[in-house]
């Protein structure tokens, strides 16, 4: 059974940093691209970042480019999102999600999602 | 303002058929990128409903179907049930943005 367990959310002040993690199991992690999607309170889904199955290629939404870094450790079946210079508008539930295409180098569609971790940026 | 445009809300009575539209442009849906649909029940993570324009993952009832034409796509739900009440999102890829794009979401109310 595919399972994604994201963690690392919390309350931080503007300008601070936070690292999210997503532990994967139930599939061969190293064969699938992964991504982060966020949802601000009461708002819709916003794609944040994606990483290819090998980790060689990364993609970012303009809203986080230069501040967030996505990475993965295929030996630990874990996805990460390093978030720096956080702003109030980054407040959201962050979901990690698995791409549905085998060995895709770019994000396609997302067939499994974690339960989400809440990031609150406030002074 | 989302790159993909969806109606904010739709509604229908039990047993009826409803459709949700998703309008894009020449840099996403019109550029022949696939459209995918997700269902999000209140307080839960999104769930993949349709992938590759018109394919259902295992376990998704055939009451749900997708279509795509030109720069638009649609999700159809037949035999509406109370459990279908949720938010629905379309998703594609945009070549101008070099990234994934979502629609703004549509809230389905079952009357």
């Amino acid at each position: 059974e595919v399972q994604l367990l994201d963690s690392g959310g919390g309350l931080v002040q503007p300008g601070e940093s936070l690292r999210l993690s997503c532990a994967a199991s139930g599939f061969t992690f190293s064969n699938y691209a992964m991504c982060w999607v966020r949802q601000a309170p009461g708002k819709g889904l916003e794609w944040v970042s994606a990483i290819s199955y090998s980790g060689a290629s990364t993609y970012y939404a303009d809203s986080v480019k230069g501040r967030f870094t996505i990475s993965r450790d295929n030996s630990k079946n874990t996805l990460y999102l390093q978030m720096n210079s956080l702003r109030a508008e980054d407040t959201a539930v962050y979901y990690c999600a698995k791409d549905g295409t085998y060995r895709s180098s770019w994000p396609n569609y997302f067939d499994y999602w974690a339960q989400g971790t809440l990031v609150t940026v406030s002074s | 303002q989302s790159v993909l445009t969806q109606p904010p809300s739709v509604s229908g009575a039990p047993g009826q058929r409803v459709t949700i539209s998703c309008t894009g442009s020449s840099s996403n849906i019109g550029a022949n990128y696939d459209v995918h649909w997700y269902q999000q029940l209140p307080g839960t993570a999104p769930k993949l409903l349709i992938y590759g324009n018109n394919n259902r993952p295992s376990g998704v009832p055939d009451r749900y179907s997708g279509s795509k034409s030109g720069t638009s796509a649609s999700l159809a739900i037949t035999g509406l049930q109370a459990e279908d009440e949720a938010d629905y999102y379309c998703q594609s890829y945009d070549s101008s943005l070099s990234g994934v794009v979502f629609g703004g979401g549509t809230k389905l109310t079952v009357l």
Side-chain angles (χ1 to χ4, degrees):
Chain A
E1 179 194 3
V2 172
Q3 288 196 339
L4 298 172
L5 185 62
D6 48 18
S7 61
L11 173 62
V12 296
Q13 295 192 344
E16 292 188 338
S17 299
L18 206 58
R19 189 176 85 155
L20 305 183
S21 299
C22 175
S25 61
F27 66 102
T28 304
F29 182 71
S30 58
N31 282 338
Y32 293 90
M34 299 290 294
C35 83
W36 291 95
V37 175
R38 68 185 180 184
Q39 186 170 34
K43 302 296 184 182
L45 301 175
E46 179 189 15
W47 172 75
V48 173
S49 182
I51 187 167
S52 63
Y53 69 95
S54 66
S57 300
T58 56
Y59 307 83
Y60 298 94
D62 287 344
S63 58
V64 306
K65 203 171 293 183
R67 299 188 299 123
F68 290 12
T69 301
I70 191 171
S71 61
R72 64 190 298 160
D73 186 335
N74 285 344
S75 68
K76 294 183 178 179
N77 292 345
T78 303
L79 174 73
Y80 302 101
L81 185 68
Q82 177 66 42
M83 304 185 295
N84 298 332
S85 303
L86 282 162
R87 306 166 180 168
E89 55 264 37
D90 295 319
T91 294
V93 173
Y94 285 72
Y95 298 99
C96 76
K98 169 188 169 291
D99 194 276
T101 306
Y102 177 77
R103 292 212 161 190
S104 176
S105 293
W106 57 84
N108 192 0
Y109 65 91
F110 313 116
D111 56 356
Y112 290 93
W113 297 62
Q115 81 288 352
T117 186
L118 177 61
V119 172
T120 303
V121 184
S122 174
S123 55
Chain B
Q1 194 78 345
S2 302
V3 173
L4 303 180
T5 302
Q6 298 180 235
S9 63
V10 297
S11 63
Q16 284 190 333
R17 177 181 186 269
V18 296
T19 61
I20 299 173
S21 61
C22 175
T23 303
S25 68
S26 58
S27 61
N28 41 69
I29 299 175
N32 211 31
Y33 289 107
D34 286 341
V35 178
H36 321 289
W37 292 89
Y38 303 87
Q39 177 193 61
Q40 186 176 33
L41 298 170
T44 69
K47 168 192 168 185
L48 179 66
L49 208 57
I50 296 287
Y51 67 95
N53 305 316
N54 55 14
N55 300 291
R56 286 185 311 276
S58 174
V60 173
D62 60 6
R63 300 187 298 107
Y64 296 93
S65 63
S67 64
K68 174 188 155 186
S69 178
T71 58
S72 295
S74 289
L75 172 71
I77 309 173
T78 59
L80 209 55
Q81 301 178 4
E83 66 202 50
D84 298 328
E85 194 159 281
D87 294 324
Y88 293 83
Y89 295 90
C90 61
Q91 176 246 308
S92 186
Y93 184 87
D94 191 284
S95 57
S96 295
L97 299 173
S98 296
V100 171
V101 288
F102 283 98
T106 298
K107 181 175 181 58
L108 169 62
T109 300
V110 180
L111 303 170

